[in-house]
Amino acid sequence: MFVIGSGGRHLEGELRKLGGEILSVELKKFPDGEKYVRILGSGKEVTVVSSTFAPQDEKIVELLLLGDALREKGFKKLRAVVPYLAYSRQDRVTKEGEPISVRAVMRALGLYYDELYVFDIHNPETLRFFPGKAVNVSPARVIANYFRKKLDDGIVLAPDRGALGRARAVAEELGLEYSHFEKRRVSPTEVEIRPVDINVQNKNVLIVDDIISTGGTMIKAAGILRKLGARKIFVGVTHGVFVEGAIEKVNKAVDELAVTNTIPTSVSRISIVPEILLL
Ligand code: R5P
C-alpha cells in the first residue's frame, strides 16, 4: 500500500494503473504556508512515495509529518521511497562550520521510517547515515530499455570516472561497450578531455550521469564527441534538476535528451514506476 506525498503526485496515475494500492491522505497548506497532512485510511505497513525536488524543504517536512501521522495511526512499518533525495550532493564538509546536509536529512527521516529507498543517490556511501535499511535503487534497467532501439551498435559513456559504475550498469543491460571521459595532460600547457581507450567515430553514444543541473557537464561532453566524429549523441540521466534554461541548452547540444521521472520535467520520458513496484 502506498501513500503519495506532494513530490509523488506525478507518479500516482501510473502506480495505480500498474496495480499499486493507494491509501488516501489529505495534503494541504495552512494560509501561513505550513503543511497539513491527514491519513484517511489505516493499516500496518505502508510505503510513502515522495520525491524532494524544489521546493525541497517543504517536501522534506511533509515526509516527516506523514511519518508522524502514520505512526500516530498505528502503522508499524514505514518505508520511504524518495526518488530524488534533496541535499544528497552536500555530502562533505568543504569549509569549516558546514553541516553534512545529507546526513541531517537522513537522520531526520530515520526518526520515522524503517526503510529508505533512493534512486541513484549522488554518493552511495552516504546511505550509511540513515539509521535503518537504506537502498540505492539503480535506474539502469529503465534507462537501458528506453534507449535500446536507438543504440544497436553504440557505446555508453560516463562524463567522468566517478560515474563509470552508472555507465557500466546501463551498458551491461544493453550488451554494449562502456567507458568514461578523462582529462589527460598532453603538454605542460594543454589538457585534453576525451573518452578513455575507446573510439567513438561513427558510433552512436549514450552519455549517462546521475544529475543534470546547469547542463555544463553534458554540453562539454557532447562538444568533444562531435569533434571526435560520433554519429548520434543521446543523454540518459536519472535526475533532471535543470536550472533555468538548461533543458534548452542540452537539447541543442545533443540528438536526444531523456531523464527519468524522479523529478517531473518536460523531458522526463523514462519512468521509474516499474522499479518502485519491484521494491
Ligand atoms: C557531478 O558530480 C554530478 O555527477 C553531475 O555530473 C553534475 O552535478 C552535473 O552538473 P551540471 O549539469 O551543472 O554540469
Side-chain angles (χ1 to χ4, degrees), residues 156-170 178-180 208:
V156 185
L157 285 177
D160 53 46
R161 186 189 284 274
L164 184 63
R166 296 187 176 96
R168 185 192 306 122
V170 173
Y178 63 93
S179 183
H180 64 92
V208 298

Side-chain angles (χ1 to χ4, degrees), residues 75-243:
F75 281 80
K76 295 286 174 253
K77 184 166 180 191
L78 303 189
R79 306 198 306 167
V81 174
V82 186
Y84 170 67
L85 184 73
Y87 294 98
S88 56
R89 280 178 291 175
Q90 296 186 41
D91 60 349
R92 70 198 67 197
V93 171
T94 54
K95 282 188 207 137
E96 196 199 333
E98 290 175 350
I100 297 176
S101 308
V102 65
R103 179 175 63 193
V105 171
M106 287 203 190
R107 284 182 176 168
L109 292 174
L111 293 171
Y112 292 108
Y113 294 92
D114 303 295
E115 297 176 7
L116 173 66
Y117 297 81
V118 180
F119 278 77
D120 203 359
I121 192 159
H122 182 65
N123 174 1
E125 282 178 24
T126 57
L127 291 170
R128 72 177 190 281
F129 295 135
F130 184 75
K133 176 181 168 188
V135 178
N136 186 28
V137 186
S138 169
R141 197 177 64 101
V142 288
I143 292 178
N145 285 343
Y146 181 84
F147 285 102
R148 194 175 297 278
K149 289 207 178 105
K150 308 173 194 223
L151 267 171
D152 40 347
D153 61 343
I155 298 170
V156 185
L157 285 177
D160 53 46
R161 186 189 284 274
L164 184 63
R166 296 187 176 96
R168 185 192 306 122
V170 173
E172 280 173 1
E173 290 283 341
L174 294 167
L176 297 177
E177 283 185 282
Y178 63 93
S179 183
H180 64 92
F181 284 82
E182 199 164 72
K183 280 187 194 162
R184 277 184 182 166
R185 186 157 290 286
V186 285
S187 79
T189 52
E190 253 182 297
V191 171
E192 180 187 74
I193 305 174
R194 57 180 299 143
V196 177
D197 301 331
I198 209 159
N199 182 5
V200 297
Q201 194 164 20
N202 258 324
K203 301 234 174 93
N204 291 327
V205 180
L206 170 63
I207 317 173
V208 298
D209 204 357
D210 60 334
I211 289 174
I212 297 184
S213 176
T214 63
T217 305
M218 283 303 161
I219 292 166
K220 193 190 251 173
I224 294 164
L225 292 174
R226 294 261 183 243
K227 275 197 201 133
L228 294 173
R231 202 190 306 159
K232 286 207 165 164
I233 302 170
F234 303 105
V235 169
V237 164
T238 313
H239 310 294
V241 173
F242 296 127
V243 302

